[in-house]
Amino acid sequence: MKKKTIKQTEPKLIIKAIGGYGVIGRNMTVVQYGDESVILDMGLYLNRYISFQESGEEMTSEALIDDEALPNDRKFFAKHGNTVKAIVIGHAHLDHTGGIRFLASKYKCPIVASPYTSRIIEKMSYDDHWQLKNKLIPLSINSSYKLSKNITVELVGVTHSTLQTAITVIHTPAGSVVYTLDYKLDNNPPFGPKTNMQRLRQLGKEHVIVLLPDCTRSDQEGHTFSEKVARSMLKDVLLGLQDKNHAIVATTFASNINRLHSIIDMGNLIGREVVFLGRSFKRWISAAEELGLINFSNQAQILSNGREYRRFLKEANANRGKYLMIMTGNQGEPNAMLVRVAKGDTAFEFMPGDNIIFSCHVIPTPMIQANRRKLEELLRRKKTRIFKDVHASGHAKKEDHRDMIKMLRPEHIIPAHGTTPKHAALVDLASEIGYKLGENIHLLQEGQELEIK
Ligand SMILES: [Zn+2]
């Protein structure tokens, strides 16, 4: 491994774990070099955020920090808030972007993110009626932006479960800090670019001083299968549903544009009209259409308000064999479309033999698992057919992490985005490669920091 000697007089490089260490969510890390710093991600812990919303209390950043729905940046802000050169966002998922609404404006700096992520942030602000006060700098994937004499940010393209996801690289004179939240190494994606492996290998030859890996699935053996596998699973299930007497409903994450693309294609294949129902589809699809990344509107109806839903669901109830409906509610979210339909709150009624495809996994937290159980119970009572786990994850598993570490050859590793057992699994893997805990692989908890020597 390459070593660069840092003279005593050189500015210190410090990594600060603000959020997402010991928990899956509320991601936020600070890279401090000398008297300048960069914030990486500003996310929500969705479980806590949703329970907070349901409590009806006033949503202030202070209350949300106290409730652990937001990363606790109080100490960092008080001491170093004025040193922040930029907030860099790796991709648009809420556990990486959802805190912007509450925390970003107190930092007098721009937000740097890919064009798609930037567009989603703008839409969040518009749709949810809050003002984005930071300047937004859309930075193309696989390009760099100089933040100061000493700090340059680079976004390296990587595969994940939403569009234009980046591995964030913070270049400093001490070496580069590589932040891989979130990623999978999809060698065969059905749409869009592959991971920029060439650049990652190149970075490994330059000087990666710290790697901060996404540990969401680091405790699982093997390789995360390609999005093409999910596409093939969908095809397999849908080709088996050719009778015209029963409804077909698919549900997945609205942010997973490539998955939605596959569902549209399969709807065409079996001769059904594809219709999107649920508020969140509009945001994720329109952002991609505005950037010219997709064109779903010419292949599907994207309904977005109550009047359109009511009219369509009445029609679909009378012609249930005509459509492939894509609904929100894959995690059993109480107000999502699939849940409302399953409860019998709409003009569409499930009949025995109707088909529900869950193109997702269940996020393993008690509240979400309970919501999904309730939804499935409602669907079973209606004697529908349920197809679960028609899905490929967006997060790297153990062997992907091994490949990433070998490519980047970091001097130090600090596991991020995960619970303690997931961080421990990453430590085990790194130990197999030759790293030593406390020496060049380090475990941080929220609020802790590490000076890289
Ligand atoms: Zn993500």
Side-chain angles (χ1 to χ4, degrees), residues 18-36:
I18 311 284
Y21 295 78
V23 63
I24 296 184
R26 59 167 186 256
N27 291 294
M28 182 167 166
T29 299
V30 169
V31 178
Q32 192 176 347
Y33 181 74
D35 56 4
E36 295 179 321

Side-chain angles (χ1 to χ4, degrees), residues 91-93 95-96 160-162 165 181-183 214 394-395 417:
H91 68 290
H93 283 152
D95 51 340
H96 303 258
H160 181 44
S161 47
T162 191
T165 296
L181 275 57
D182 299 340
Y183 82 103
D214 158 21
H395 295 277
H417 200 352

Side-chain angles (χ1 to χ4, degrees), residues 62 249 253 281 335 353 377 398 442:
E62 294 305 309
V249 173
F253 304 98
F281 287 122
N335 294 316
E377 192 46 47
K398 184 176 173 183
H442 315 269

